Amino acid sequence: MRVSDAEREAAVEWLRVASVEGRLTLGELTERTEAAYTAVTQAELAVITSDLPGGRPVPAPAYPQPSSGEGGSVRRWFVAVMSSSKRRGTWRIDKPLGAVAVMGDVLLDLRQAEVRTGVVDIAATAIMGDVKIIVPDGVDVEIDGIAIMGDKKVQVIEAPPGTNAPLVRVVAYAFMGSVKVVGDSKAKPLKKAMAAWRKQWEEMRAELTGEYGHHRAGPGPHQIHPSNEERPRPPWPPAPPRLPDL
């Protein structure tokens, strides 16, 4: 049974709710969201959400709002003054983030982070320093702010327009420094094993398109190398070189 646009959107919302509950990292959410939008059959959507509990979500606010005090939003700060501050691997994002680099470097790798809010909100300040934010390709990135004798840039392969992709919002202030948001294509890719759902999903997609076996690593069933007896062999011993006619 072919899937409808409404069913794709429902699956994406299901994934976003699972992300808020801490069941998916930002990288996993982005990967599954992309797969949901490219799904053709209902069976493919079922595979994408097969390891998530509960039923399909109803249209309702899915994300808790960040806590705030009397002075405004409470942020989690990463500060480097003539030093470096790095956060990578598995960690939780349940409030807005702040990054300050003064003659130093701050690195925030969000690919394996558990995002408990609907939007990743980051305030980044670089004074004669650098703030680098790594995100999975496929997220939407909004960057605003001011750069004086510095730069602020985005180097991410973003999701196609109209898709409900995860959002990373950055307000950047750079003075003789830089604030950069980069994706997997511009950073060192993470080494991760193929998830069970991804393997099953790709096999279903390959069968649907008639390319079964060609997407797998190594030779497929129709790519087996011939045996030594079947391979063409060069002549041996080699023929002597031919002398030019006088």
Side-chain angles (χ1 to χ4, degrees), residues 69-151:
E70 296 179 357
S73 298
V74 176
R75 292 186 181 272
R76 180 179 179 183
W77 290 95
F78 299 87
V79 181
V81 179
M82 300 182 66
S83 61
S84 63
S85 176
K86 300 179 181 180
R87 192 66 178 91
R88 50 165 60 108
T90 303
W91 55 300
R92 178 183 297 184
I93 299 177
D94 53 7
K95 62 180 64 177
L97 304 178
V100 178
V102 181
M103 300 179 65
D105 303 285
V106 174
L107 171 64
L108 300 179
D109 191 339
L110 310 184
R111 292 174 291 181
Q112 293 182 301
E114 296 178 359
V115 180
R116 303 299 183 93
T117 58
V119 177
V120 181
D121 183 6
I122 304 175
T125 301
I127 302 175
M128 300 178 66
D130 299 288
V131 175
K132 185 177 181 180
I133 303 166
I134 304 177
V135 300
D137 284 318
V139 304
D140 284 336
V141 178
E142 294 180 359
I143 188 167
D144 197 0
I146 301 173
I148 301 175
M149 299 177 65
D151 61 349

Side-chain angles (χ1 to χ4, degrees), residues 191-202:
K191 295 182 180 180
K192 55 183 180 180
M194 180 178 289
W197 76 267
R198 167 60 73 174
K199 182 178 180 180
Q200 184 179 358
W201 186 86
E202 289 191 353

Side-chain angles (χ1 to χ4, degrees), residues 160-171:
T163 59
N164 193 12
L167 175 61
V168 177
R169 181 181 297 128
V170 180
V171 179

